Each structure stands twice: as structure tokens, then as C-alpha cells.
């Protein structure tokens, strides 16, 4: 005879406490947002507000307030506070994107009509500022050469400095290097240009007027960005990889070159590309050291040379409709150049990312 215990619930047992509460459906935030946008547009139109940005701000306030009120009535005040915090995060994201969207929309609307084959393949040589025509070919060449030389100089210096700080940096020297990198991060571009100008006068006794001098100033601005981005990427490499390599008897320098750097190469490349995008828009050192030119100059070591930022500044300063159109067209080309660099950086980062699956 067996003793079997049946897990049955007595009929007179007390009911379990209610753990679940009422919840809003998953589509409720979208519905609240649509309602807030509709009411915000209605208020903006009724009040005669001409700016759509004002309409959007009213809609954002209504969205946050509506999320709190509706959630508090259905789910309680505790969940309402959580919902408001989430709504504020989304509202902050939208507020950060609005200026970028406005900038890109304005540049495309005013610059797209100028860009064609002639604009991209001709310079401003023998073109009067008051007449239509001309192009940015000479400025594109100047930008590519100046940024390329700056990258060749700054990228190795920045990467090796970051490797020293992460892998070998101890003591007073590392602290001083970190301090100077922090100081260089905040240097205005015009100060970098003045530094190169003073060095040029000190050794050669004359103003530089060449793309190479501008590249040196751009390299000064690029180095701290590369150091900081590379340093952060190297810190993300797990120490277990270093320890495993060293435990196998591999020298430290080979561990760095064969294990650490290849693991972080995607992030390092992305940082270099972002640094290139950062210096590509600098105009102050170019105006101070390169002077600009309306003619095509493929030699960055002799004679003045133009660049896209300087071309935009130059055309805007001319102050007529034709030059304004060329300035907007060059601005659109510059934005496209920076966006292409970012896409290349993302592609390289994804291509070189460590493979996690088998």
C-alpha cells in the first residue's frame, strides 16, 4: 500500500492576492502622440503661430502631459511617473534631431539646384562673382589633399599615443601626456593656425600660403580626437585576451599588434574617420595659412589653394545671389563628403568587428 499525497487546493482556501493591474495597450504611446500632434497643430493654427517648430513644441508638451494623465488614471501614479520619464527621453531626442533636420533640409533646398556636372568639374577661374556659373572642383581638390596630409600626420601620432597611454602609461610622463591631450582638445582652430603661422615665420621668415601649412594646423586639431577615440576603444578590449596571450609566452609588443589592436581596429578606424569629418569643416586655419584661390592647384606644397569651407566663406562674403547659390551648393557638397566618411567608417567598423558566432 502506497502513501500518495494529492496536491489539491481546499475549496475553502483564501483567494490569492491580485498581482496584476490594469495596463494600457502597447499602441497607447503612439495614439497619445498622434492626438498630441493633432491638438498641437490645431492650437498653433488657431493661435496664428507661423513657425511649425512652435507647433511641434506644443505637441511635445501635450504628449508628456497626456502620457502622465492617461497613465495615472489607468495604471496608477507610479507607472505614470515612469511613463513621463520615458516620454521626456523621447522628447529630448526629438529636440536634438530637429536642428539637424532643419539644417539638412535648408541646405538641400537651397543647394541642390546648383549642383550639376559643371559645378563639380569646374573652378572659379575667370568667373566673375556677380555672374552665374563656375564650380567647386578646385575646392574639392584642396579639401581632399589638405585633409589627406593631415590624416597621414595625425593618425599615426594619435594611435601610438593612445597605445602608450593604455598599454604602457604609468607615472608622471603619462599624466603629462594626458594633460596636454586634454588641453589640445579645447584649442580653437584659429589658435592652431596662429601657432603654425608663427613657426613658419620663425623658420622661413614669410607667410606660408600653401595647403601643406593648413594641413599642419588641421593635424594639430585632429590628434587629440584620434587619441581620445583610440584610447576608449583600447580600454574596451578585455584584459583576459591580453593575459591569455601573455600566459602563452607571447611578448607584449606582439600581443598589442596581433591581439589588442586587431580587436579594436573597427572602433579605431571609426574614430579616425570622425576626426577627419571634424577637421574637414574648418575654415579659420585655411583662411590664415592657405589664403584660398580661384584656380585649380594640385600641388599642396606651393601657392595658395582653396577648400570647401573657405569657398563657402568666400562666396558668402561676396554678397550677391549667384555667390549665395554657390555657397549653398558647396555646403551641400561638404555635408555629403562628411556623410560619406561616416558611412565608410560604419562599414569598416562592421567589417572589422570581432565575430561572436561560429
Amino acid at each position: 500500500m502506497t502513501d500518495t499525497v494529492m496536491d489539491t487546493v481546499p475549496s475553502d482556501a483564501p483567494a490569492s492576492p491580485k498581482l496584476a493591474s490594469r495596463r494600457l495597450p502597447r499602441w497607447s504611446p503612439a495614439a497619445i502622440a498622434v492626438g498630441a500632434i493633432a491638438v498641437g497643430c490645431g492650437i498653433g493654427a488657431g493661435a496664428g503661430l507661423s513657425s511649425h517648430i512652435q507647433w511641434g513644441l506644443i505637441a511635445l508638451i501635450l504628449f508628456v502631459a497626456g502620457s502622465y494623465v492617461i497613465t495615472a488614471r489607468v495604471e496608477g501614479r507610479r507607472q505614470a511617473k515612469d511613463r513621463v520619464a520615458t516620454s521626456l527621453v523621447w522628447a529630448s531626442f526629438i529636440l536634438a534631431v530637429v536642428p539637424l533636420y532643419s539644417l539638412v533640409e535648408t541646405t538641400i533646398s537651397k543647394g541642390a539646384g546648383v549642383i550639376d556636372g559643371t559645378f563639380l568639374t569646374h573652378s572659379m577661374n575667370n568667373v566673375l562673382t556677380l555672374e552665374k556659373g563656375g564650380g567647386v572642383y578646385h575646392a574639392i581638390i584642396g579639401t581632399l589633399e589638405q585633409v589627406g596630409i593631415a590624416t597621414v600626420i595625425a593618425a599615426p601620432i594619435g594611435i601610438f599615443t593612445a597605445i602608450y597611454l593604455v598599454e604602457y602609461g604609468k607615472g608622471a610622463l603619462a599624466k603629462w601626456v594626458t594633460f596636454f591631450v586634454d588641453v589640445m582638445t579645447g584649442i580653437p582652430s584659429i589658435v592652431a593656425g596662429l601657432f603654425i603661422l608663427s613657426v613658419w615665420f620663425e623658420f622661413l621668415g614669410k607667410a606660408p600660403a600653401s595647403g601643406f601649412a593648413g594641413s599642419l594646423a588641421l593635424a594639430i586639431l585632429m590628434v587629440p580626437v584620434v587619441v581620445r577615440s583610440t584610447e576608449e576603444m583600447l580600454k574596451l578590449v578585455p584584459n583576459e585576451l591580453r593575459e591569455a596571450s601573455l600566459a602563452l609566452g607571447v611578448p607584449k609588443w606582439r600581443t598589442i599588434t596581433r591581439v589588442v589592436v586587431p580587436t579594436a581596429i573597427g572602433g579605431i578606424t571609426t574614430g579616425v574617420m570622425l576626426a577627419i569629418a571634424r577637421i574637414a569643416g574648418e575654415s579659420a586655419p585655411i583662411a590664415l595659412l592657405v589664403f584660398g584661390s580661384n584656380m585649380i592647384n594640385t600641388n599642396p606644397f606651393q601657392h595658395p589653394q582653396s577648400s570647401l569651407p573657405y569657398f563657402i566663406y568666400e562666396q558668402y562674403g561676396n554678397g550677391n545671389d549667384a555667390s549665395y547659390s554657390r555657397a549653398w551648393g558647396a555646403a551641400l557638397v561638404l555635408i555629403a563628403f562628411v556623410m560619406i566618411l561616416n558611412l565608410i567608417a560604419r562599414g569598416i567598423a562592421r567589417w572589422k568587428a570581432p565575430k561572436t558566432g561560429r
Side-chain angles (χ1 to χ4, degrees), residues 316-342:
Y316 182 78
N318 290 332
N320 56 74
D321 293 339
S323 62
Y324 286 157
S325 299
R326 285 191 290 265
W328 282 111
L332 185 57
V333 173
L334 181 59
I335 290 176
F337 176 70
V338 173
M339 291 184 68
I340 290 172
L341 286 178
N342 279 278

Side-chain angles (χ1 to χ4, degrees), residues 298-319:
T298 57
N299 186 357
F301 299 98
Q302 288 185 349
H303 306 304
Q305 197 177 41
S306 186
S307 71
L308 286 172
Y310 184 82
F311 180 84
I312 296 169
Y313 167 76
E314 186 180 38
Q315 293 299 318
Y316 182 78
N318 290 332

Side-chain angles (χ1 to χ4, degrees), residues 1-322:
M1 183 175 182
T2 59
D3 296 327
T4 304
V5 178
M6 301 298 291
D7 293 329
T8 57
V9 179
S11 58
D12 56 348
S16 60
K18 187 178 180 180
L19 298 178
S21 60
R22 290 191 301 167
R23 302 279 298 177
L24 286 171
R26 299 184 63 180
W27 47 265
S28 59
I32 296 172
V34 172
I37 292 172
V39 176
C41 293
I43 295 175
L49 300 177
S50 58
S51 175
H52 289 176
I53 296 178
Q54 293 174 322
W55 296 16
L57 292 175
I58 294 173
L60 278 177
I61 295 173
L62 292 175
F63 173 67
V64 175
S67 298
Y68 179 80
V69 172
I70 295 175
T71 307
R73 291 182 62 87
V74 177
E75 300 179 357
R77 290 189 176 183
R78 184 177 180 181
Q79 293 296 331
K81 293 178 181 177
D82 180 69
R83 189 84 68 172
V84 166
T86 305
S87 301
L88 288 175
V89 172
W90 277 100
S92 302
F93 166 73
I94 293 172
L95 288 176
V97 170
V98 166
L100 177 62
Y101 170 77
S102 177
L103 172 67
V104 174
E105 182 191 22
T106 304
T107 307
I108 292 176
S109 62
K110 294 187 176 182
V114 184
I115 296 178
D116 55 16
T118 303
F119 187 73
L120 297 175
T121 56
H122 287 74
S123 69
M124 288 297 295
N125 191 25
N126 296 326
V127 178
L128 297 178
T129 57
L130 292 173
E131 66 181 15
K132 296 182 179 179
V136 292
Y137 182 65
H138 62 303
I140 294 175
I141 290 178
T143 298
L144 293 176
E145 290 184 348
Q146 293 158 21
V147 171
I149 294 173
T151 304
V152 170
I153 297 172
I157 295 175
I159 292 173
F160 284 121
T161 302
I163 291 174
Y164 166 75
L165 291 176
V166 175
E167 304 296 335
Y168 298 97
K170 294 180 181 178
L173 180 59
K175 293 180 180 178
W176 277 107
V177 172
T178 302
F179 172 74
F180 281 115
V181 170
D182 292 338
V183 172
M184 289 178 64
T185 304
I187 288 180
S189 59
I190 189 67
V191 175
L194 286 172
F195 172 73
I196 296 299
L197 183 65
S198 62
V199 171
W200 213 275
F201 268 111
E202 183 70 22
F203 288 96
L204 300 178
K206 62 179 182 180
S210 68
F212 178 68
S215 300
L216 294 177
L218 296 179
I220 293 175
L221 301 174
M222 187 176 176
V223 166
V225 181
V226 177
V227 172
R228 281 286 169 257
S229 59
T230 304
E231 196 176 355
E232 295 302 321
M233 291 301 106
L234 293 177
K235 288 179 179 177
L236 291 177
V237 178
N239 279 329
E240 288 78 4
L241 291 177
R242 297 179 177 86
E243 294 170 355
S245 177
L246 295 174
L248 293 173
V250 179
K252 187 170 184 177
W253 69 269
R254 188 176 289 272
T255 298
I256 294 171
T257 56
R258 295 299 181 89
V259 177
V260 178
V261 173
T263 304
I265 190 63
I268 294 173
T269 307
T270 302
V272 173
M273 288 294 182
L274 294 177
I276 294 173
R278 182 248 189 273
I279 64 170
E282 292 292 346
S283 59
I286 306 303
L288 194 64
L289 301 169
V290 189
F291 293 165
S293 173
N294 289 332
M295 297 184 293
I296 298 173
N297 178 17
T298 57
N299 186 357
F301 299 98
Q302 288 185 349
H303 306 304
Q305 197 177 41
S306 186
S307 71
L308 286 172
Y310 184 82
F311 180 84
I312 296 169
Y313 167 76
E314 186 180 38
Q315 293 299 318
Y316 182 78
N318 290 332
N320 56 74
D321 293 339

